[in-house]
Amino acid sequence: MATKELEHVVIRFVGDSGDGMQLTGSEFAKSAAEAGNDISTFPDFPAEIRAPAGSLFGVSGFQLHFSSSEIHTPGDAPDVLVAMNPAGLKTNLKDLVDNGTLIINSGAFTEANLKKAGYASNPIDDGSLAKYKVHTVDISQLTMTALEGTELSVKEKTRSKNFFALGLVFWMYGRDPETEIPRITAQFAKKPQFGDANIKVFKAGYHFGETAEVFQTQYKVPPANFAPGMYRNITGNEALALGLVVGAELAGKPLYFAGYPITPASSILHALAKYKNFGAMTFQAEDEIAAIGAALGAAYGGAVAVTASSGPGIALKTEAMGLGIMTELPMVIVNVQRGGPSTGLPTKTEQSDLYQAVYGRNGESPMPVIAAKSPGDCFYAAIEAMRIAVTYMVPVMLLSDGYIANGSEPWALPNLEALKRFDVKHRTDPTDFKLYRRDPVTLAREWPIPGTPGLEHRIGGIEKDALTGNISYDPANHEKQTHLRAEKVARVANEAGALDTLGEDSGDVLLIGWGGTFGSLRQATMSLRAAGRKVTHAHMRWMWPLEPGIAKIIKNFKHVLVAELNGGQLRTMLRATYLVDAIGLNKVQGLPFKVLEVTTAVENVLGGNVPRADGATAARTINA
């Protein structure tokens, strides 16, 4: 048996939403992380809990990029495609690289399934797969054979076939199968009979790869060179939950989280519920409005308050956000963005809530908005959002997205002792107490805890006197308070620090991005710079107020290209603020950018091949 060493591999598992592709992919990702590879994952699944079996729109997929060198994306195209049914093959074959490896569960390629997928003939037999290295394996039948003699029903046996595929891929890439056994046992601890069955099938898949003559080569991807430290594989929502727990500790306050289930933010609540021993209090409210109302009440009572949702839920929370801005109570609002509008694409990623985050409230109601850039960065972004909220006494919106929330990467466990504390100090002295007396630096008002003797006060949505906090209808006072609230948010820009850039402060193209586009844009910039292009990537964390570092360099480049997964929201904001003729690279397909899409757009800009502005929009956009 030949062994071949590879620098990196992109593998994608696809099948019905009930075929366990997410579990299969995440388990292989864990093994790659344990083996020391750098990894990046991209789960992609339908909105339906159980979409119709065999349907094209019901296909669930999981893509994993694992490498012996540093990577930033889950890869543009799979080198290996594991297709558990015809629909998975039909919807994903176009992405497989030429001469890529194709593993097909031939047992699922029945006449009925082929018809559901729109095949006139069986692609296994008609020669349409000739440019790929095809391995047909009757995974369905081999799974049933492995479980002969067990007391499981036929349906229960069928559900184990994903572990046959996992075992086969374990063998293909030289993974130790014994490392997976404890994980399967733990996964099915409450139903050990299923755990035992999946272990049998997993081993059968591994040994099939070992003994079948159709597989002539085993591949090895050596470990990557990481900085010394302890690492774990982490998703964005897991990291965000940890960041909230640690942030509350750094503030010296209890954490109160109120939420309502919504994709893809729900797992933040699930994760936080496990941290009760660290003082985290979680509350699942009856709806989105109740959730943010409870969070505001907790903030009034002196807790570090957080709520989380996605676009439709954020819309429902809008009125209460205004109340938080008027009462100047600290709170973190997490928006894990998804495709819209309305219900839109609940399980697909998008960045189309930026306008909503920055402008989406009635009245003059600014609030700080920051965005995480990767799964691991969600930890630090959560801490930063919490610090800003309690330091400036203001609600803060933290933007994530479905790509970051569900994706995973190796994450170096931080030195908690090195994290800077920002302990909250509540007003306790009643002498000359004025609720809206402000800190001269941050403009934050006092934060007395209700019930403190001598510090009785009122809050509410009606305008407040600029000193006492009493209700005021005075026109001059309203204008003064409006300007003070805006100035307070503007001063948050002082916290931004250095702009995250790769490249010089001037050149031919400034490539600007934010949020989950970081990996694709950074990888593309590295490739372009290696080819001699004068390109700089600037990644924005601070969305409002706009990152100050952008102002210092945006006019130093011949071209400004703003890449985002929306119709051009940040581009519009930058054009209006800095009066630059920014070009948009935009994509709204529910999918992240591919590196090739970015490099192609930059090359087109350098070559002068970009759309000219029309009289109506004065905007130039490249559609990825």
Side-chain angles (χ1 to χ4, degrees):
M1 183 67 67
T3 300
K4 184 177 181 180
E5 188 171 292
L6 301 173
E7 181 182 350
H8 62 90
V9 174
V10 178
I11 183 169
R12 184 185 298 176
F13 300 90
V14 293
D16 273 330
S17 57
D19 281 345
M21 296 295 92
Q22 303 306 314
L23 178 59
T24 305
S26 62
E27 287 302 296
F28 192 73
K30 291 174 186 175
S31 76
E34 286 182 353
N37 299 130
D38 194 6
I39 68 169
S40 180
T41 69
F42 176 48
D44 187 23
F45 45 90
E48 292 78 10
I49 295 173
R50 184 63 63 87
S55 63
L56 296 177
F57 66 86
V59 172
S60 176
F62 190 103
Q63 183 161 306
L64 164 70
H65 188 187
F66 58 108
S67 174
S68 60
S69 57
E70 184 182 20
I71 55 175
H72 296 285
T73 76
D76 280 7
D79 304 299
V80 180
L81 178 64
V82 180
M84 299 297 285
N85 67 355
L89 180 66
K90 186 70 173 287
T91 54
N92 288 271
L93 184 63
K94 64 182 183 301
D95 295 331
L96 184 62
V97 300
D98 289 350
N99 202 36
T101 298
L102 180 57
I103 300 173
I104 295 176
N105 173 22
S106 59
F109 279 62
T110 63
E111 184 176 347
N113 284 342
L114 288 166
K115 185 176 180 180
K116 288 179 184 177
Y119 279 113
S121 60
N122 192 333
I124 295 175
D125 304 320
D126 64 11
S128 60
L129 307 177
K131 66 178 181 179
Y132 308 108
K133 293 179 284 191
V134 181
H135 301 290
T136 56
V137 182
D138 193 344
I139 294 175
S140 300
Q141 182 56 50
L142 289 169
T143 297
M144 300 297 287
T145 301
L147 295 177
E148 283 181 357
T150 66
E151 297 181 357
L152 299 179
S153 67
V154 172
K155 185 176 182 180
E156 289 169 339
K157 290 176 182 178
T158 301
R159 289 177 180 170
S160 295
K161 63 180 179 289
N162 60 317
F163 278 94
F164 190 98
L166 180 63
L168 178 56
V169 175
F170 255 64
W171 177 85
M172 287 182 64
Y173 292 98
R175 304 303 182 193
D176 181 2
E178 294 304 315
T179 62
E180 181 62 21
I181 306 304
R183 285 200 292 266
I184 298 176
T185 301
Q187 183 79 25
F188 296 93
K190 295 182 179 179
K191 295 182 178 180
Q193 70 274 27
F194 293 145
D196 293 341
N198 288 328
I199 289 171
K200 286 182 179 180
V201 174
F202 170 75
K203 288 182 175 179
Y206 185 89
H207 294 308
F208 180 84
E210 196 173 35
T211 58
E213 295 183 359
V214 292
F215 295 96
Q216 301 296 324
T217 305
Q218 190 176 47
Y219 302 95
K220 302 281 188 180
V221 178
N225 293 319
F226 289 105
M230 184 176 292
Y231 290 78
R232 62 161 289 188
N233 186 40
I234 200 165
T235 67
N237 278 358
E238 290 170 342
L240 201 151
L242 280 172
L244 293 173
V245 172
V246 172
E249 167 60 26
L250 295 174
K253 299 295 296 178
L255 171 66
Y256 181 88
F257 179 94
Y260 180 76
I262 183 170
T263 302
S266 300
S267 58
I268 298 172
L269 173 60
H270 304 160
L272 283 172
K274 300 175 183 178
Y275 297 132
K276 293 177 182 177
N277 55 320
F278 292 105
M281 181 182 295
T282 54
F283 167 56
Q284 181 174 318
E286 65 268 31
D287 57 39
E288 298 282 6
I289 299 172
I292 192 169
L296 272 172
Y300 177 56
V304 172
V306 183
T307 188
S309 189
S310 189
I314 296 295
L316 292 169
K317 295 179 188 293
T318 299
E319 181 181 3
M321 282 185 225
L323 178 59
I325 291 168
M326 175 63 80
T327 56
E328 300 188 42
L329 286 167
M331 175 175 54
V332 175
I333 302 124
V334 179
N335 180 358
V336 187
Q337 300 167 96
R338 68 191 207 187
S342 185
T343 306
L345 301 174
T347 60
K348 310 299 182 182
T349 197
E350 206 162 276
Q351 293 182 301
S352 52
D353 293 350
L354 182 59
Y355 282 164
Q356 182 187 42
V358 175
Y359 305 119
R361 292 163 297 279
N362 66 294
E364 294 288 340
S365 50
M367 60 189 286
V369 180
I370 67 173
K373 70 179 183 180
S374 69
D377 183 55
C378 286
F379 174 83
Y380 298 99
I383 294 174
E384 189 76 346
M386 194 169 287
R387 185 179 68 83
I388 295 301
V390 299
T391 301
Y392 288 80
M393 288 294 289
V394 66
V396 176
M397 185 169 289
L398 169 57
L399 295 176
S400 177
D401 57 56
Y403 173 60
I404 297 174
N406 296 318
S408 64
E409 64 180 358
W411 179 61
L413 270 62
N415 177 5
L416 298 180
E417 299 299 323
L419 297 176
K420 187 177 180 180
R421 297 193 63 86
F422 44 93
D423 293 275
V424 172
K425 292 180 174 60
H426 293 285
R427 172 76 179 245
T428 57
D429 182 7
T431 305
D432 194 27
F433 169 61
K434 297 292 188 293
L435 181 64
Y436 276 79
R437 177 176 283 119
R438 299 179 182 276
D439 180 278
V441 175
T442 65
L443 296 182
R445 72 160 177 86
E446 304 277 10
W447 189 12
I449 295 178
T452 306
L455 300 181
E456 296 82 4
H457 61 281
R458 62 174 62 134
I459 62 171
I462 300 178
E463 183 63 274
K464 304 293 178 291
D465 179 81
L467 187 60
T468 66
N470 295 331
I471 292 174
S472 173
Y473 290 100
D474 179 67
N477 177 80
H478 173 58
E479 186 165 52
K480 179 178 180 179
Q481 284 284 69
T482 298
H483 290 316
L484 280 170
R485 287 188 290 264
E487 174 60 22
K488 178 169 68 169
V489 173
R491 292 188 184 190
V492 172
N494 296 328
E495 309 286 341
L499 178 66
D500 182 355
T501 60
L502 175 64
E504 293 73 32
D505 289 345
S506 62
D508 292 333
V509 177
L510 177 62
L511 178 61
I512 300 177
W514 65 279
T517 63
F518 172 80
S520 299
L521 272 56
R522 186 55 53 97
Q523 198 86 43
T525 303
M526 292 167 63
S527 174
L528 288 161
R529 289 176 60 81
R533 305 293 187 264
K534 296 179 180 179
V535 177
T536 293
H537 174 214
H539 187 83
M540 295 178 60
R541 180 186 207 75
W542 303 81
M543 308 310 299
W544 195 263
L546 287 171
E547 185 124 14
I550 286 290
K552 298 176 182 178
I553 66 171
I554 195 168
K555 293 188 177 181
N556 298 345
F557 291 81
K558 296 177 183 176
H559 307 282
V560 175
L561 180 63
V562 184
E564 47 188 335
L565 300 176
N566 58 44
Q569 297 181 18
L570 177 61
R571 180 195 69 215
T572 302
M573 292 167 62
L574 294 176
R575 287 172 63 95
T577 304
Y578 302 116
L579 304 180
V580 294
D581 186 18
I583 304 165
L585 171 59
N586 302 102
K587 181 176 180 177
V588 282
Q589 300 174 11
L591 298 169
F593 281 119
K594 294 180 179 180
V595 174
L596 181 60
E597 291 171 339
V598 180
T599 56
T600 300
V602 172
E603 293 289 6
N604 283 336
V605 169
L606 288 170
N609 184 24
V610 294
R612 293 194 174 276
D614 61 45
T617 65
R620 296 187 290 166
T621 302
I622 301 173
N623 292 315

